[in-house]
């Protein structure tokens, strides 16, 4: 399939007068890793439920692998989706292998493939242990194994790395990378923006049910309302005057000693650095500080509140 795996056009989901999702357009291609970010109640889980076909839109159209996921003809599409809900809880008294066998039967998949799945998520040695004895990280990996049954073409993961230590998070993302490289679309809802850096191809920012930004991290940076900062260290540590750039009026903030900072839109930073390097200044150092993903996200929300 070369078209989108997930496509939403003008989708609104209203509960009474409240719109949990408001007029969203979204397409996800095979092999794409997309993060859905937003504050509590922004609409991330509702969006996932719409894609899963658990709820129907009040307005607009949702397509999953070319079918309406809530429609009669969506059986095959639903079988090709893996879902890891937020805070998934398993019965503590059954073993990992038993649990996976149960889900494999539900999905009409051969139980014989489960051993390889447990291996893939790194809990093969605990397969015959009761889930009640698993650590949080092991339960989360078991949840991922459950979502991977049947080699899904679309994976929906709701806050999948909450509570995982950095090493486990790393291996979690490596598994997702391999799945995407294999052609699966991965959609993950997250609050942990900083850890998404270099982990996803696109970030979709939701605010009160509406999409306020959608793009690669590079695009988001470029259009971010948050400025980049440029920090200069003057060569003469006794120099107390701000850097003087002929022909330009820049607002400088003294960080300490001969270190000064100014800001500019991300798109202009290269031109400014060139001007600074060409200026008659004795420089000891120059740093370009690009906004972090958290700052960009906060900037989009502030910007949205202000317009
Ligand atoms: P969180 O990060 O807290 O999980 P979220 O981004 O997943 O939040 P949703 O669970 O999608 O947010 O909720 C979006 C909004 O829709 C919230 O204001 C929520 O109260 C409302 N909402 C969700 N489901 C229902 C429902 N079944 N009935 C009424 N309101 C609902």
């Amino acid at each position: 399939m070369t078209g989108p795996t997930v496509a939403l056009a003008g989708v609104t989901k209203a509960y009474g007068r409240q719109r949990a999702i408001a007029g969203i357009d979204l397409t996800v291609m095979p092999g794409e890793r997309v993060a859905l970010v937003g504050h509590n109640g922004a609409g991330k889980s509702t969006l996932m439920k719409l894609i899963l076909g658990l709820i129907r839109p009040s307005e607009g159209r949702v397509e999953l692998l070319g079918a309406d996921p809530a429609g009669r003809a969506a059986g095959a599409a639903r079988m090709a989706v893996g879902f890891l809900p937020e805070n998934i809880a398993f019965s503590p008294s059954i073993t990992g292998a038993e649990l996976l066998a149960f889900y494999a039967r539900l999905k009409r998949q051969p139980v014989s493939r489960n051993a390889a799945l447990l291996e893939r998520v790194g809990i093969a040695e605990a397969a015959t242990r009761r889930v009640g004895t698993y650590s949080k990280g092991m339960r989360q990996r078991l949840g991922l194994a459950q979502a991977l049954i049947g080699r899904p073409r679309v994976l929906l993961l709701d806050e999948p790395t909450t509570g995982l230590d950095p090493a486990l998070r790393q291996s979690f993302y490596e598994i997702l990378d391999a799945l995407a490289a294999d052609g699966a679309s991965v959609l993950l809802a997250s609050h942990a923006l900083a850890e998404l850096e270099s982990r996803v191809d696109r970030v979709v920012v939701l605010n009160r049910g509406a999409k306020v930004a959608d793009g690669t991290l590079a695009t988001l940076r470029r259009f971010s309302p948050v400025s980049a900062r440029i920090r200069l260290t003057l060569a003469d540590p006794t120099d107390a005057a701000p850097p003087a750039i002929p022909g330009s009026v820049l607002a400088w903030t003294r960080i300490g000693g001969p270190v000064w900072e100014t800001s500019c839109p991300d798109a202009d930073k290269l031109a400014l650095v060139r001007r600074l390097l060409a200026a008659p200044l004795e420089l000891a150092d120059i740093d370009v500080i690009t906004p972090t993903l958290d700052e960009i996200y906060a900037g989009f929300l502030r910007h949205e509140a202000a317009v």
Side-chain angles (χ1 to χ4, degrees):
M1 178 167 175
T2 49
T5 48
V6 174
L8 278 78
V11 172
T12 291
K13 178 67 188 176
Y15 291 106
R17 291 177 61 191
Q18 199 204 347
R19 299 200 301 172
I21 291 291
I24 286 203
D25 296 316
L26 177 73
T27 55
V28 183
M29 300 303 287
E32 246 191 326
R33 300 164 304 166
V34 178
L36 290 175
V37 300
H39 53 83
N40 290 117
K44 305 177 295 292
S45 303
T46 304
L47 199 61
M48 289 201 168
K49 284 194 248 178
L50 285 162
I51 296 169
L52 286 164
L54 298 175
I55 53 176
R56 289 174 186 273
S58 316
E59 281 169 41
R61 212 178 57 243
V62 181
E63 275 188 15
L64 172 68
L65 299 164
D68 169 5
R72 282 164 188 257
R78 279 203 292 264
M79 287 292 175
V81 174
F83 176 45
L84 176 57
E86 193 182 355
N87 299 322
I88 189 164
F90 301 123
S91 163
S93 58
I94 61 170
T95 69
E98 287 166 349
L99 182 112
L100 220 51
F102 169 73
Y103 281 106
R105 288 195 191 98
L106 273 185
K107 269 199 160 178
R108 299 194 201 117
Q109 293 294 320
V111 173
S112 58
R113 289 199 202 131
N114 287 358
L117 270 181
L118 288 164
E119 189 76 47
R120 180 164 202 180
V121 300
I123 51 168
E125 80 293 348
T128 55
R129 267 171 50 192
R130 288 167 175 230
V131 173
T133 68
Y134 282 22
S135 68
K136 161 91 187 164
M138 291 167 79
R139 284 199 297 275
Q140 202 65 354
R141 285 159 178 244
L142 182 61
L144 181 62
Q146 164 279 129
L148 297 183
I149 290 171
R151 280 192 76 203
R153 290 164 62 197
V154 177
L155 265 170
L156 298 171
L157 311 169
D158 204 349
E159 314 255 348
T161 59
T162 312
L164 299 190
D165 67 38
L168 274 186
R169 244 181 266 153
Q170 167 88 10
S171 65
F172 202 92
Y173 282 117
E174 278 164 11
I175 294 169
L176 299 190
D177 291 348
L179 292 163
D182 209 25
S185 298
V186 180
L187 253 156
L188 62 103
S190 181
H191 286 294
L193 299 177
E195 77 179 52
L196 295 174
E197 198 94 68
S198 80
R199 292 295 183 195
V200 292
D201 305 299
R202 251 169 81 198
V203 176
V204 173
V205 181
L206 294 179
N207 187 23
R208 284 175 282 152
K211 193 169 84 168
V212 294
D214 181 354
T216 62
L217 286 173
T219 313
L220 257 55
R221 283 223 152 82
R222 203 165 168 74
F223 293 103
S224 167
V226 182
S227 298
R229 287 175 291 146
I230 295 179
R231 189 175 284 189
L232 294 187
T233 306
L234 300 176
D236 178 1
T238 61
D239 197 346
I245 317 293
S248 69
V249 191
L250 291 170
W252 291 100
T253 306
R254 194 173 192 180
I255 302 299
V259 186
W260 294 85
E261 208 173 89
T262 191
S263 60
C264 70
D266 196 78
D268 300 343
K269 65 178 189 257
L270 203 58
L272 181 56
V273 168
R274 278 203 196 98
R275 267 171 48 219
L276 292 173
L277 291 176
L281 289 170
E282 290 293 321
L283 295 179
D285 204 358
I286 183 162
D287 288 305
V288 177
I289 306 160
T290 48
T292 64
L293 200 47
D294 282 313
E295 288 167 337
I296 290 176
Y297 168 63
F300 275 115
L301 296 193
R302 273 200 308 273
H303 183 68
E304 191 57 20
V307 289

